[in-house]
Amino acid sequence: ALALALAARLRQACGAGEAVARLGDTEFALLIESPAATAPDALRQRASELQQVLQAPVRLNSTDVFPRCIIGIARFPVDGETPAGLLEVAQTARLDVAGGAGLAFFRAETASRALREVRVEAALHGAIADGEFELHYQPKVDLGSGAVCGAEALLRWQSAELGPIAPAEFIPIAERAGLIGAIGDWVLRHACEQLAAWRAAGLPALRIGVNLSAAQLQRPDLAAHLQALLAETGVDAAQLGIELTEGMLLADVGHAQAVLAGVRSLGIEISLDDFGTGFSSLNSLGHLPIDIVKVDRSFVHDVTAPAQQVSITRAIISMAHGLQMKVLAEGVESEGQLSLLASNGCDQFQGFWFSRPLPADDFAALLHEGKRLPERFLVRPVRTRTLLLVDDEDNIVAALKRLLRRDGYRIVTAASAAEGLQRLAEHEVDVIVSDQRMPGMTGVEFLHRAKALYPQTVRIVLSGYTELQSVIDAVNEGAIYKFLTKPWDDARLREHVAEAFRQKELADENRRLTHEVDAANTDLAALNERLERLLAQQREQAELLAASAAGTRGVLDDLPAAVLGIDPDGIVAYANRAAERALAPNDGLLGRPAAEALPSSQAGAADANEVELNGQRFQALYGELPGDGNAQGRLVVLFPQPARKAA
Ligand code: C2E
Ligand code: CA
Ligand code: CA
């Protein structure tokens, strides 16, 4: 019906010198012959006129359908010289209009893109048989232990004909060409064989994640297929993982759930790839058996990113944790990104900063060397209480160090304020004890700076010289926690420092708890949001029902026969337009006794099949409206009859 409506519009819109033809379901071609009309501006103008005509809503079954019209334009003889050539070129031009104005002129690049696709597809056909594929392995690192905990297998293709081609280019083509099943099988088998080879070579067992395509997930026997492959290659399921994107999962959640449950029950790990690039919330995926959420590169920030972006990443991490999933950050390229992720509780990461994807032998070498993350990045490093002593007099530093070492602190020292700031950048310091009179910068000034840069530190001044005002100011502004005087009493000084560490640890614990409360609140907010979405869905359902009821009424209203609904008490409960017109053109039918409007039924001729009303003859049909057991009323349909010829 839509095609017919559009064809009619096109035919009507066609002017002199224009011919229209239908090519496919709703695909039409318009030939414009007049040379004057073929200047690019005139063509563009004409195309957008046609577009407007075609895009006006079409009413189908009392519903408005909004057609979207895209137009590709080709010109004779510049773009093509034969009818078939011109048509093909116009169709190619349509590939360019995707998100744009909906119309595009033919450009040679588009054709070369299409041509490149054809070439890539042709080359793909022989790629497996010719051994052109290879797998590279990118290490995944655990932020708790700092060790490599697995790898992602990434496909590499060196085409004999076209050179190296990136998976981002050839995977979609393989998917469209129906070649991805064979390629996916090659990748799975090859990864398993590599695992078995590494195991035989004595490398530690780890897990390899393999990317799956939508077509592979669609196999109902995926779990059985994987199980057979593992058995055949002698690899343990604990060494295999699969990576899927949310788009693949959401395409058919029921199917995904069933297939993945089977895969997971084997012990194969399931990762949700590229999370954050789609439009789903973790909640909507929460009931799927997902072990790891791989947060997309676009959510991996460093400290220079706006705070809001950083909190989105933190929210994703805590939400995933709330759903008992682990979080892996993808595409970590800098130390800054890594430390931010670590401090936000991320579990694992991969990225160029640690290692690019490597050929199998290089990856094995990396494992062999035991490459791991430096201690300082670990999420829960064993914290040693760290004390910074700052004094320009060497003997005082030495004496303090001797005294306080007994209490088991890690002690770092500095001979000036500038050096002190340097130490603070190098070490994670808990408590600072600083002299007041030092060349360059006073102790109070130094602690002011320390407070601004590292507000968590607990700061103490130890001075032989009391300059009252600056001390008062510093205490009032919270730059220092205690002011102690030289010479000191050993026992009391130790007690003060120990107390400072207790303060620090209490504050740390408070921060941690606040963070957990925040995370719990985020989860709660998500739950609320889910409830609201459910409510909105229900509301929408109700509205849809109401709309479809209104649609049915609309059809009844437009019926050329008169339709009356009469309730069990004999009152007119419904009358369509034709009924109103025929029976009560002036005063309306609703709510009136049926007998009044329909005299023949009053006369008891309840099944008379001909009635005459206001001089017009009708053929009448009666029906019972079914209810629960008892009749709920009657339906009367009156078909107008031609007037009887005068005798
Ligand atoms: P993916 O699954 O998201 O894989 C991660 C991609 O990010 C890889 O690109 C990897 O080389 C790249 N990458 C890793 N670390 C960094 C980093 O620090 N910075 C940046 N900028 N990039 C990084 P690659 O190898 O080109 O693969 C692209 C996509 O192709 C993959 O995205 C995956 O969707 C697909 N793919 C790769 N191999 C296979 C396969 O065997 N089967 C299927 N179905 N798809 C595959
Ligand atoms: Ca992946
Ligand atoms: Ca990814």
Side-chain angles (χ1 to χ4, degrees):
L2 183 64
L4 285 174
L6 296 179
R9 285 181 185 181
L10 257 180
R11 198 176 308 128
Q12 211 182 5
C14 251
E18 293 182 343
V20 67
R22 176 157 171 245
L23 302 181
D25 284 343
T26 51
E27 185 182 15
F28 298 91
L30 188 78
L31 179 71
I32 303 182
E33 279 185 285
S34 139
T38 51
D41 280 349
L43 273 178
R44 192 185 300 281
Q45 169 72 24
R46 182 69 184 127
S48 90
E49 276 165 26
L50 289 170
Q51 207 176 24
Q52 267 172 24
V53 169
L54 292 174
Q55 286 186 346
V58 179
R59 201 169 172 80
L60 293 179
N61 287 332
S62 71
T63 302
D64 280 336
V65 175
F66 292 82
R68 173 163 149 67
C69 160
I70 60 176
I71 301 180
I73 304 170
R75 286 162 303 157
F76 172 88
V78 274
D79 299 332
E81 296 187 349
T82 62
L86 264 183
L87 255 187
E88 193 183 313
V89 157
Q91 283 168 320
T92 306
R94 280 185 321 188
L95 299 174
D96 265 352
V97 300
L103 47 102
F105 282 87
F106 171 71
R107 296 182 311 154
E109 300 101 272
T110 317
S112 60
R113 189 149 38 88
L115 201 66
R116 161 92 177 170
E117 244 199 77
V118 172
R119 288 221 182 97
V120 169
E121 187 186 325
L124 267 176
H125 278 279
I128 292 183
D130 297 342
E132 294 180 346
F133 285 134
E134 192 189 343
L135 285 184
H136 281 195
Y137 300 88
Q138 183 172 43
K140 297 180 180 176
V141 184
D142 186 278
L143 273 163
S145 68
V148 173
C149 57
E152 174 173 8
L154 292 159
L155 189 55
R156 297 291 175 258
W157 178 28
Q158 179 77 33
S159 160
E161 212 171 308
L162 303 168
I165 300 180
E169 181 179 4
F170 72 79
I171 297 273
I173 296 177
E175 281 170 345
R176 283 196 287 277
L179 296 168
I180 198 67
I183 295 177
D185 279 350
W186 182 91
V187 172
L188 276 168
R189 172 171 297 273
H190 199 80
C192 287
E193 285 170 354
Q194 185 60 261
L195 278 167
W198 281 335
R199 173 89 154 266
L203 278 166
L206 41 73
R207 203 188 288 261
I208 301 285
V210 172
N211 292 286
L212 292 198
S213 278
Q216 289 171 282
L217 183 64
Q218 268 154 26
R219 296 181 64 150
D221 66 337
L222 181 65
H225 178 64
L226 292 173
Q227 190 174 24
L229 188 63
L230 289 172
E232 199 185 320
T233 49
V235 169
D236 191 30
Q239 289 196 263
L240 189 64
I242 56 173
E243 302 194 356
L244 309 154
T245 61
E246 60 192 71
M248 291 160 60
L249 297 177
L250 293 176
D252 184 349
V253 178
H255 172 79
Q257 195 156 19
V259 169
L260 292 185
V263 172
R264 170 128 97 173
S265 71
L266 295 174
I268 294 173
E269 183 184 74
I270 299 171
S271 296
L272 177 60
D273 211 346
D274 303 341
F275 183 74
T277 55
F279 297 98
S280 53
S281 73
L282 266 186
N283 270 326
S284 61
L285 301 163
H287 51 280
L288 288 168
I290 294 167
D291 301 294
I292 299 207
V293 175
K294 295 187 78 175
V295 179
D296 187 69
R297 212 151 65 75
S298 47
F299 290 87
V300 170
H301 310 291
D302 62 20
V303 282
T304 59
Q308 205 188 1
Q309 286 181 10
V310 178
S311 24
I312 291 177
T313 310
R314 193 181 308 127
I316 295 178
I317 294 173
S318 69
M319 178 98 81
H321 286 164
L323 292 166
Q324 319 304 323
M325 302 170 183
K326 286 194 166 178
V327 179
L328 177 145
E330 293 190 302
V332 174
E333 293 182 347
S334 73
E335 200 171 310
Q337 292 171 339
L338 183 63
S339 28
L340 196 63
L341 286 164
S343 69
N344 283 332
C346 186
D347 304 291
Q348 303 174 4
F349 78 98
Q350 64 187 84
F352 293 168
W353 180 78
F354 187 82
S355 166
R356 293 193 166 253
L358 302 171
D361 289 346
D362 296 356
F363 178 70
L366 177 143
L367 281 185
H368 202 71
E369 285 161 18
K371 177 168 176 173
R372 53 191 294 125
L373 206 58
E375 194 77 12
R376 64 180 189 281
F377 292 109
L378 301 194
V379 169
R380 274 169 294 283
V382 199
R383 290 276 300 121
T384 39
R385 298 170 144 197
T386 303
L387 175 68
L388 171 64
L389 296 175
V390 188
D391 202 306
D392 57 329
E393 283 175 65
D394 289 350
N395 57 338
I396 292 197
V397 171
L400 285 172
K401 208 169 165 178
R402 231 178 359 260
L403 172 68
L404 295 166
R405 203 165 32 205
R406 300 180 229 170
D407 295 321
Y409 309 127
R410 184 162 68 110
I411 297 179
V412 287
T413 61
S416 68
E419 226 180 87
L421 290 172
Q422 182 66 32
R423 293 294 101 81
L424 282 171
E426 293 160 357
H427 304 274
E428 200 175 326
V429 170
D430 301 295
V431 175
I432 308 172
V433 174
S434 171
D435 182 24
Q436 164 67 358
R437 270 181 90 179
M438 295 182 289
M441 198 190 286
T442 68
V444 166
E445 251 180 283
F446 161 63
L447 292 179
H448 257 298
R449 299 232 184 150
K451 181 194 177 211
L453 291 167
Y454 309 96
Q456 270 93 311
T457 49
V458 174
R459 299 162 298 271
I460 297 175
V461 173
L462 182 60
S463 175
Y465 166 89
T466 42
E467 190 198 348
L468 200 56
Q469 194 51 47
S470 66
V471 172
I472 291 173
D473 289 349
V475 172
N476 284 347
E477 290 164 31
I480 65 176
Y481 160 71
K482 284 228 162 95
F483 193 98
L484 308 175
T485 50
K486 286 178 188 167
W488 63 84
D489 170 78
D490 278 2
R492 292 200 52 201
L493 180 64
R494 281 175 62 194
E495 189 38 50
H496 279 305
V497 171
E499 173 60 24
F501 274 103
R502 279 195 292 276
Q503 282 285 333
K504 169 69 166 39
E505 276 147 11
L506 207 65
D508 282 350
E509 182 62 7
N510 269 338
R511 269 188 297 274
R512 197 183 61 76
L513 289 174
T514 311
H515 185 78
E516 276 185 12
V517 170
D518 282 350
N521 279 338
T522 318
D523 286 353
L524 213 63
L527 204 66
N528 265 331
E529 199 190 311
R530 195 158 100 200
L531 268 175
E532 265 169 32
R533 255 204 314 274
L534 264 174
L535 274 176
Q537 265 170 16
Q538 274 176 5
R539 219 174 300 128
E540 203 176 277
Q541 273 290 313
E543 279 167 11
L544 262 174
L545 274 175
S548 84
T552 315
R553 262 187 111 100
V555 171
L556 277 180
D557 264 341
D558 291 339
L559 217 60
V563 179
L564 287 176
I566 299 166
D567 76 7
D569 298 329
I571 303 295
V572 176
Y574 172 77
N576 73 350
R577 264 204 292 271
E580 294 278 2
R581 224 172 15 244
L583 304 184
N586 305 320
D587 16 314
L589 277 169
L590 285 186
R592 281 172 50 189
E596 235 173 69
L598 223 54
S600 55
S601 59
Q602 187 186 34
D607 50 357
N609 47 20
E610 252 197 42
V611 286
E612 193 164 317
L613 295 162
N614 302 332
Q616 157 85 55
R617 287 190 320 117
F618 292 93
Q619 156 147 45
L621 282 180
Y622 303 87
E624 298 280 308
L625 284 175
D628 23 270
N630 306 317
Q632 292 291 294
R634 295 197 306 142
L635 193 67
V636 184
V637 186
L638 303 169
F639 298 97
Q641 300 294 303
R644 225 177 249 136
K645 291 220 177 74

